Amino acid sequence: MGGSAPKLSGPYRRALALPSELSFHSLQVQPQGALYLPPVHIARALLIGFLASFLLFCRYWSRNPTGAEFLVQSIVAINAGARGSVSWNDPTTPDIKGTASAFALALPELTPFFLSSPLGHPPVHFTHVVTPNRLDFGVWVSPKEGRTLVLGTNLNYFTVNVTLSEVFSGSAAGFLALAGNRTCLVLDGGGRIYDSQFVFGVVQSGAWIFG
C-alpha cells in the first residue's frame, strides 16, 4: 500500500503505552556501533503484527535502513512475541524488498514453530535468549518431533560469536548429538555456525532447524 506511514496519536498512542509483562523494543542507530533498543511497553495482546514501517520511516531512522537492518527489526519483534510483519510503504529499496522476499520464502519452515504452543500437538516450548554481547535469539523446541528452531540476530555493527551452549541448556556437543547432527539453514541473513559457535557479522541474522 502506498503513502507515508501514519503517526500514532490519541487512543492508539495510549493503547501502545499500556503496561504489560512484555517489554517490546524499538530500534535506533547509535554511533558506538550497536542498535539501541529503548524499551516501549506494549500489551501482549496487541503485539500481533510488527508494524515495520513505523520503525523504518518515522522517527527512528534518518535514512533508509538496509535489508540486513530490516531483518534485525523483524527478528527482534518476532522473538518478543509478534506474529506478523506489515510494511506500509511501497515502493521501498531493492535491498529491503529482497530481504523481505527471502524472509517470506522461509515462512513455510518457520510458521509451524511461530504458531505453536506448549499445549499444542505436538507441544513446542519457546525460550527468548538475549546474550550480554547483544545477540537476540528465539528458540522453539519440539521434544516429541526432536526438532528445534533457532532464530537469531546481531544488534551490533561488529562481529559477535557465541557458543551454542550459551544459547541452549546443556552442552553444545550434547545438543548436536540429540539433534543427530542434522542442521538446516532455513533463513540466510549472513549468520553461520562454525565449531559449535553462532557467528554473526555486522547486523547479520539467521534461522536454523536442528533435528
Side-chain angles (χ1 to χ4, degrees):
M1 293 166 51
S4 61
K7 297 183 182 301
L8 296 177
S9 60
Y12 301 102
R13 184 179 296 278
R14 288 195 296 273
L16 291 179
L18 286 173
S20 74
E21 75 283 5
L22 179 66
S23 181
F24 183 64
H25 295 85
S26 302
L27 303 181
Q28 186 173 9
V29 177
Q30 294 292 293
Q32 62 265 35
L35 285 176
Y36 172 58
L37 285 79
V40 178
H41 295 289
I42 294 181
R44 178 95 185 180
L46 296 175
L47 192 56
I48 301 301
F50 170 55
L51 306 181
S53 63
F54 179 68
L55 299 182
L56 293 182
F57 304 110
C58 289
R59 55 192 259 191
Y60 295 106
W61 293 97
S62 59
R63 58 168 174 80
N64 285 334
T66 65
E69 289 165 336
F70 172 86
L71 189 56
V72 170
Q73 293 183 150
S74 300
I75 290 176
V76 167
I78 289 168
N79 288 348
R83 290 299 173 262
S85 177
V86 180
S87 298
W88 289 333
N89 291 58
D90 190 64
T92 187
T93 66
D95 195 18
I96 290 176
K97 189 167 289 187
T99 301
S101 297
F103 185 57
L105 289 172
L107 287 177
E109 296 286 347
L110 301 176
T111 50
F113 291 94
F114 291 166
L115 302 180
S116 62
S117 161
L119 302 179
H121 301 284
V124 176
H125 305 277
F126 173 74
T127 304
H128 187 196
V129 179
V130 180
T131 68
N133 51 6
R134 297 173 57 77
L135 297 179
D136 191 301
F137 291 94
V139 182
W140 288 260
V141 179
S142 177
K144 186 172 181 179
E145 294 185 329
R147 302 174 77 227
T148 296
L149 168 67
V150 178
L151 181 65
T153 192
N154 178 14
L155 277 70
N156 302 289
Y157 286 92
F158 48 83
T159 298
V160 179
N161 302 350
V162 64
T163 63
L164 272 67
S165 60
E166 292 180 68
V167 178
F168 304 110
S169 59
S171 69
F175 178 81
L176 289 177
L178 178 64
N181 290 316
R182 297 186 304 274
T183 306
C184 179
L185 177 66
V186 294
L187 176 60
D188 188 353
R192 292 292 183 267
I193 297 176
Y194 296 120
D195 297 326
S196 297
Q197 292 191 81
F198 289 105
V199 180
F200 294 93
V202 174
V203 289
Q204 287 186 343
S205 306
W208 298 264
I209 293 178
F210 295 81

